[in-house]
Amino acid sequence: MIQPVARTVPVLIVGGGSAGISVAARLARALPAGSVTVVDPAQDHYYQPLWTLVGGGDATRESTRRREADVIPAGVQWIQQGVREFLPDEDQVILSNGERLGYEQLVVALGIQLDWEKIPGLTEALGKDGVCSNYSWETVESTWRFIQAFQGGSAHFTHPNTPIKCGGAPQKIMYLAAEHWEKRGVKQPYDVRFRIASPKIFAVERYAQTLLEVVARHKIDVAYQRDLVALRAASKEAVYKDLVTGAEVIERYEFMHVTPPMSAPDVIKQSPLAASTGWVEVDKGTTQHVRYPNVFSLGDCSNLPTSKTGAAIRKQAPTTAQNILDVRAGRKPSALYNGYTSCPLVTGYGKLVLAEFDYDGKAQETFPFDQSKERWSMYQLKKRLLPVFYWSGMLKGRA
Ligand code: FAD
């Protein structure tokens, strides 16, 4: 039996990160005040793309944070709670305080879950003795601390065997660290190792070629299909699995930058909204759920088969917003997303390859020059312009 709800809202957006706020801003402009509600328990909102430069000592952690209250668009109601359960057959969600909330349309934008605990020994080791990660607000400052403290030995950078947000980020920090250590002239013998679970350095060949040149420039030792499965901090040993042979490979480290395994948030995995992979199962063009037409999803938690980035969300958000307006007006969704994503591949201080491509891996480049080459101007774009563009354009529903 369907339970009564305390209240029903017209459009409910769960998750007030990059995706949720971008859609909220667009809908708030198009619908009467009070039509849009965002549910998110967070106190703060982060511009995560800059964490690469925070880890590399070229941006401050504080510059990446705003109060969540300050990014909620005018006219949007914010409920500072988490979603505990989805009940799409009843058009309801259950909040962490137990309240049932009804909706006419739902947008699921919960981001990705970092599964640190899937690597035994990692959680305890993080932030100590050279073990760091750019992947969270709590750990990102330890990266720059340990890069500065590195005096020799093996420096490891890992890329896990799961989908991750920003597929280039595990190696961007490696290129910054390698350049820093060369400039500093680290005296002891040392080597830089990239341990990547995929068989290729980057999915799109055009950009992979340039990355392989950067790898060669820094004499980085790359092992493909090698997945970090445990960390023994006491003996400074990393346990890897060779994904081809299944063999265990143990390597000593002095510095370890970990990109943790990631998956869809558990609350989605356990819900009827999930595909068999755990992500919210939406149509790859319209972002509309394949079984629940009044549900949409975008961003990292969706199963849109593209690289999970904020840049992808910039193109998904107008599609989702337009299609919700269509459904509310009794029309079929009219807007289509083509899979556009972008990865600003930092290859050193003042050097960046701006990868932009669609669902087919076809280049969708913005500028009238060869973006597969490293450029100083593109680094400045990432460091100085894109953050302004994010806070003042994308989150306002204007870009
Ligand atoms: P998020 O922005 O993570 O937001 C998810 C929101 O959901 C959060 O506010 C959270 O509090 C909320 N939430 C979670 N669970 C619940 C719940 N149960 N109930 C309610 N709310 C909940 N992208 C780029 O485009 N370019 C880059 O160069 C780039 N570099 C990156 C480098 C790093 C180190 C990292 C970590 C990311 C990078 N990204 C980059 C990726 C980009 O930041 C993400 O793809 C983007 O933030 C995803 O947006 P989202 O809204 O899906 O998730």
Side-chain angles (χ1 to χ4, degrees):
M1 197 185 76
I2 294 179
Q3 301 282 320
V5 284
R7 50 191 161 144
T8 292
V9 298
V11 180
L12 177 62
I13 299 178
V14 295
S18 307
I21 297 298
S22 302
V23 173
R26 285 173 182 274
L27 290 177
R29 268 212 316 271
L31 295 171
S35 302
V36 181
T37 300
V38 169
V39 166
D40 194 316
Q43 200 58 38
D44 295 312
H45 182 111
Y46 304 104
Y47 180 59
Q48 302 167 40
L50 218 49
W51 288 352
T52 294
L53 301 194
V54 175
D58 204 20
T60 64
R61 186 174 75 149
E62 203 48 53
S63 70
T64 69
R65 174 164 77 163
R66 298 274 193 282
R67 279 159 26 96
E68 183 72 22
D70 293 342
V71 300
I72 299 288
V76 170
Q77 184 195 191
W78 175 31
I79 301 177
Q80 199 176 7
Q81 292 287 328
V83 167
R84 203 171 70 191
E85 200 177 334
F86 290 100
L87 303 169
D89 291 305
E90 299 166 41
D91 297 331
Q92 294 175 12
V93 296
I94 303 181
L95 304 182
S96 31
N97 63 2
E99 186 192 334
R100 279 173 179 253
L101 191 58
Y103 56 80
E104 292 167 14
Q105 280 82 36
L106 172 70
V107 179
V108 185
L110 297 186
I112 202 164
Q113 179 171 290
L114 303 175
D115 295 326
W116 304 101
E117 69 297 337
K118 290 214 170 127
I119 299 181
L122 174 59
T123 313
E124 312 84 279
L126 271 172
K128 294 178 217 137
D129 291 334
V131 181
C132 54
S133 179
N134 278 357
Y135 268 87
S136 78
W137 167 261
E138 289 75 24
T139 58
V140 64
E141 282 188 321
S142 62
T143 305
W144 181 230
R145 211 159 14 98
F146 294 146
I147 287 176
Q148 288 175 294
F150 182 67
Q151 297 296 345
S154 291
H156 292 224
F157 295 82
T158 72
H159 183 135
N161 193 22
T162 65
I164 60 171
K165 51 181 157 187
C166 194
Q171 54 190 296
K172 298 180 200 177
I173 186 60
M174 175 171 71
Y175 303 134
L176 291 176
E179 186 174 320
H180 173 82
W181 292 328
E182 282 158 22
K183 282 192 179 144
R184 178 150 61 83
V186 174
K187 293 280 182 300
Q188 301 288 328
Y190 74 94
D191 56 74
V192 179
R193 303 181 185 191
F194 189 34
R195 301 298 180 239
I196 172 165
S198 337
K200 284 183 179 175
I201 197 141
F202 198 73
V204 182
E205 195 52 36
R206 174 175 170 71
Y207 308 111
Q209 280 310 323
T210 307
L211 294 175
L212 290 174
E213 286 165 23
V214 181
V215 161
R217 184 163 82 216
H218 294 295
K219 301 187 177 55
I220 294 169
D221 172 65
V222 182
Y224 295 99
Q225 294 177 283
R226 191 168 295 187
D227 190 26
L228 181 69
V229 292
L231 209 62
R232 298 175 187 156
S235 52
K236 293 206 156 189
E237 286 174 321
V239 183
Y240 291 101
K241 183 175 178 187
D242 182 317
L243 297 176
V244 181
T245 63
E248 193 177 89
V249 184
I250 297 174
E251 299 181 50
R252 162 114 191 158
Y253 68 83
E254 293 301 326
F255 174 99
M256 166 66 69
H257 179 273
V258 180
T259 299
M262 303 180 201
S263 63
D266 289 341
V267 65
I268 295 175
K269 281 186 208 125
Q270 292 151 7
S271 80
L273 298 176
S276 58
T277 51
W279 311 104
V280 183
E281 192 168 12
V282 292
D283 177 85
K284 71 182 227 187
T286 62
T287 77
Q288 184 180 38
H289 200 278
V290 298
R291 291 182 297 279
Y292 300 98
N294 64 338
V295 177
F296 290 77
S297 180
L298 73 166
D300 293 353
C301 70
S302 72
N303 76 336
L304 293 168
T306 191
S307 174
K308 297 180 184 296
T309 65
I313 291 166
R314 187 167 73 83
K315 297 286 187 178
Q316 293 162 9
T319 303
T320 304
Q322 178 57 51
N323 289 340
I324 286 177
L325 294 176
D326 286 339
V327 168
R328 286 188 68 75
R331 298 186 296 261
K332 281 193 158 161
S334 62
L336 289 179
Y337 166 64
N338 71 353
Y340 170 92
T341 190
S342 164
C343 192
L345 294 158
V346 173
T347 52
Y349 292 93
K351 299 184 199 79
L352 187 142
V353 168
L354 186 60
E356 293 183 285
F357 49 97
D358 62 15
Y359 275 140
D360 303 320
K362 216 165 89 223
Q364 294 276 338
E365 298 182 352
T366 304
F367 298 100
F369 47 69
D370 182 355
Q371 289 182 209
S372 70
K373 298 276 172 279
E374 296 175 85
R375 287 177 194 274
W376 178 85
S377 57
M378 294 296 95
Y379 187 91
Q380 302 310 319
L381 175 79
K382 174 174 178 68
K383 181 176 168 179
R384 300 177 199 287
L385 290 184
L386 291 181
V388 179
F389 200 64
Y390 180 76
W391 297 114
S392 311
M394 189 169 145
L395 291 193
K396 307 281 182 208
R398 288 201 202 98

